[in-house]
Amino acid sequence: MSNSLSSTPNKQKLINSTCLDLLLLEIVPLSIRITHKLQQENDSSSLTTSNLSDNKTNNKIRIETLESNYINNDLVNFKVENYGYSIGLRLGELLSFQINSNSLNLISKENNNLDILNIMKFICRDVWKKLYDKQMDNLRTNHRGTFVLIDSNFKDLTRMSSSKGINDTIIKCKPYVWFPCGIIRGILSSLDIDSTVNFEITKFPSVTFNVQTNISG
Amino acid sequence: MTIYSLYILNKAGGLIYQQDYNPGLLKLSANDYLVLAGTIHGVHAIASKITPFSLRDDSAAAGQSLLNTNSFLNHPLPVNYTSNKTGLNFIQTDFFNIYLFQSLTGIKFILVTSPNGVLSNNLTNAELILRKIYIIFSDYVMKNPFYNLEMPIRCELFDLKTTQLLKPV
């Protein structure tokens, strides 16, 4: 997000996009740590007779976050997706207000309903441009509410490289991709469209987002 | 100027990256690389202690004029960008040159090059290359979530980008 969203063009404040990059890197380790802690608290409250000198309590202090078996844990992914969702909700409000002057119409003229195709175009162009400084590379639809958005060089993944090779990189990068999934769902939700968003990584760093909505376009 | 080899040291003087880009140097054993890195780290520390105060200011000013003329960063340099103003900057011999750049955070980038060429040109070139390497390092190592801080760099993308920069096609 290289430029601030709210200011007028001539008084635009700039923020280094590296800040966002670094912040996003922390999302997954943070979620893993929180999930780990919550689960331990659950465990200890359910056990009425816990052994105080249990060796396992030492693990609480240090957890090798990305090497742990919490990677691709559903609870962690859900948390990351939720961060994206709440940001998407706000971003949807802000950007749909901002592009009012643009040529893009989110509401179709014929029946006064939301134009789902234009909304997906809005995500591919305006939202992606704000977040990742580029547009989505491809948008496909079956005209029955399913959309496929392809970013063939997803920015968050372009710098990731595990020392154990490409397969390990793909496994470990997956929790990070739940964040943009949440953003897409949040933006659709802010425009009153229920959706489920999934993704596939076939050819790293290309990401395919599958969006299933309740509206047939 | 041919780039033979790149070393990166963490702030404790441990070798976290070593790569040869062009033939010209003998391969050392893994242990010898570590010893070499530790030696350079020690010499640098000693040199920065014995740099006279008057010289420090001079070299800082010199560094400033040197770096302000290049524009590849495309924005004004921060005030305290020359962390390299004390200590060992370069070593020149008949057979090779060594150039050092230390970041503000204490990470050292060391370039071993061939000796030919005019001295001042070589120095400018080496400084440029070292800064470019620092940028690549920031982008592909520090922004890689799977990298453990202070640990050896095992990152394909970093290998790829430095090779593109340092190895003539």
Side-chain angles (χ1 to χ4, degrees):
Chain A
M1 223 179 297
S2 52
N3 36 17
S4 143
L5 298 168
S6 54
S7 50
T8 49
N10 55 347
K11 272 182 77 181
Q12 233 172 24
K13 286 174 188 151
L14 299 176
I15 181 166
N16 195 333
S17 64
T18 304
C19 300
L20 182 70
D21 292 342
L22 295 176
L23 204 63
L24 289 182
L25 294 186
E26 282 305 313
I27 279 186
V28 171
L30 175 75
S31 307
I32 289 176
R33 264 181 249 122
I34 292 175
T35 312
H36 179 71
K37 195 147 194 192
L38 285 176
Q39 277 196 342
Q40 280 202 330
E41 270 168 21
N42 271 348
D43 290 351
S44 58
S45 62
S46 64
L47 285 173
T48 41
T49 51
S50 60
N51 195 348
L52 281 175
S53 62
D54 194 348
N55 263 340
K56 277 178 187 164
T57 47
N58 288 337
N59 293 343
K60 208 189 250 175
I61 303 160
R62 177 97 179 93
I63 168 170
E64 278 292 349
T65 47
L66 287 172
E67 297 293 339
S68 71
N69 42 18
Y70 282 101
I71 199 91
N72 287 321
N73 173 307
D74 281 345
L75 288 168
V76 173
N77 290 346
F78 180 70
K79 243 183 198 76
V80 174
E81 208 259 3
N82 254 332
Y83 293 140
Y85 177 73
S86 60
I87 288 174
L89 267 182
R90 289 152 223 230
L91 211 58
E93 300 287 350
L94 212 59
L95 290 181
S96 57
F97 166 75
Q98 210 181 34
I99 64 148
N100 249 352
S101 53
N102 263 2
S103 53
L104 201 62
N105 278 319
L106 298 185
I107 295 167
S108 83
K109 283 170 192 137
E110 293 121 48
N111 49 12
N112 243 11
N113 284 337
L114 283 167
D115 188 336
I116 181 90
L117 192 62
N118 272 352
I119 290 172
M120 297 314 281
K121 281 183 191 163
F122 161 69
I123 290 176
C124 290
R125 282 188 208 147
D126 302 74
V127 176
W128 234 242
K129 195 123 203 191
K130 281 290 177 204
L131 284 170
Y132 300 110
D133 219 15
K134 73 187 280 279
Q135 297 185 2
M136 281 272 194
D137 296 288
N138 204 334
L139 167 66
R140 288 190 214 134
T141 173
N142 68 351
H143 296 289
R144 264 178 258 120
T146 306
F147 295 85
V148 178
L149 291 72
I150 301 168
D151 189 337
S152 56
N153 196 14
F154 185 55
K155 194 184 160 201
D156 285 358
L157 300 190
T158 49
R159 298 193 188 95
M160 292 186 184
S161 166
S162 163
S163 57
K164 290 177 196 154
I166 185 73
N167 288 330
D168 192 55
T169 312
I170 291 179
I171 293 170
K172 282 186 188 164
C173 78
K174 276 184 177 165
Y176 288 91
V177 186
W178 280 108
F179 182 74
C181 285
I183 287 186
I184 295 174
R185 189 168 71 91
I187 284 170
L188 290 173
S189 183
S190 75
L191 297 163
D192 218 11
I193 300 165
D194 282 333
S195 62
T196 46
V197 183
N198 267 307
F199 70 92
E200 283 164 40
I201 301 170
T202 41
K203 196 168 176 290
F204 192 86
S206 162
V207 182
T208 309
F209 297 96
N210 299 307
V211 185
Q212 179 71 51
T213 63
N214 57 350
I215 297 180
S216 51
Chain B
M1 187 175 69
T2 317
I3 314 286
Y4 291 143
S5 186
L6 167 71
Y7 295 69
I8 300 176
L9 273 56
N10 66 14
K11 57 190 83 159
L15 187 68
I16 55 172
Y17 192 76
Q18 196 280 329
Q19 186 77 267
D20 292 333
Y21 293 94
N22 289 299
L25 296 178
L26 289 175
K27 270 268 168 208
L28 300 176
S29 73
N31 203 33
D32 285 343
Y33 280 124
L34 291 175
V35 172
L36 183 62
T39 310
I40 292 177
H41 182 74
V43 172
H44 185 279
I46 294 167
S48 60
K49 288 284 177 207
I50 58 173
T51 312
F53 276 107
S54 55
L55 206 64
R56 280 183 207 190
D57 292 335
D58 278 1
S59 63
Q64 205 138 18
S65 62
L66 191 72
L67 282 164
N68 273 345
T69 50
N70 75 65
S71 61
F72 78 92
L73 282 176
N74 284 334
H75 55 76
L77 292 161
V79 184
N80 52 355
Y81 69 97
T82 42
S83 56
N84 217 19
K85 55 189 160 193
T86 65
L88 195 59
N89 283 335
F90 56 89
I91 301 172
Q92 293 192 312
T93 73
D94 288 344
F95 305 104
F96 63 86
N97 290 351
I98 293 180
Y99 297 95
L100 287 99
F101 169 75
Q102 181 173 252
S103 75
L104 276 178
T105 48
I107 296 160
K108 283 190 192 65
F109 298 85
I110 298 159
L111 219 51
V112 185
T113 72
S114 65
N116 55 327
V118 187
L119 162 67
S120 60
N121 267 350
N122 264 359
L123 192 59
T124 326
N125 277 344
E127 291 221 20
L128 279 173
I129 291 168
L130 283 166
R131 296 188 70 82
K132 279 181 186 161
I133 292 169
Y134 189 28
I135 291 171
I136 296 174
F137 174 82
S138 315
D139 267 350
Y140 293 96
V141 178
M142 297 319 281
K143 284 189 196 170
N144 178 5
F146 312 137
Y147 170 67
N148 273 332
L149 288 177
E150 305 282 307
M151 295 307 278
I153 300 165
R154 274 190 229 98
C155 173
E156 268 176 51
L157 279 170
F158 183 70
D159 293 343
L160 186 79
K161 295 286 167 181
T162 49
T163 309
Q164 278 173 1
L165 175 68
L166 300 178
K167 197 162 191 158
V169 185

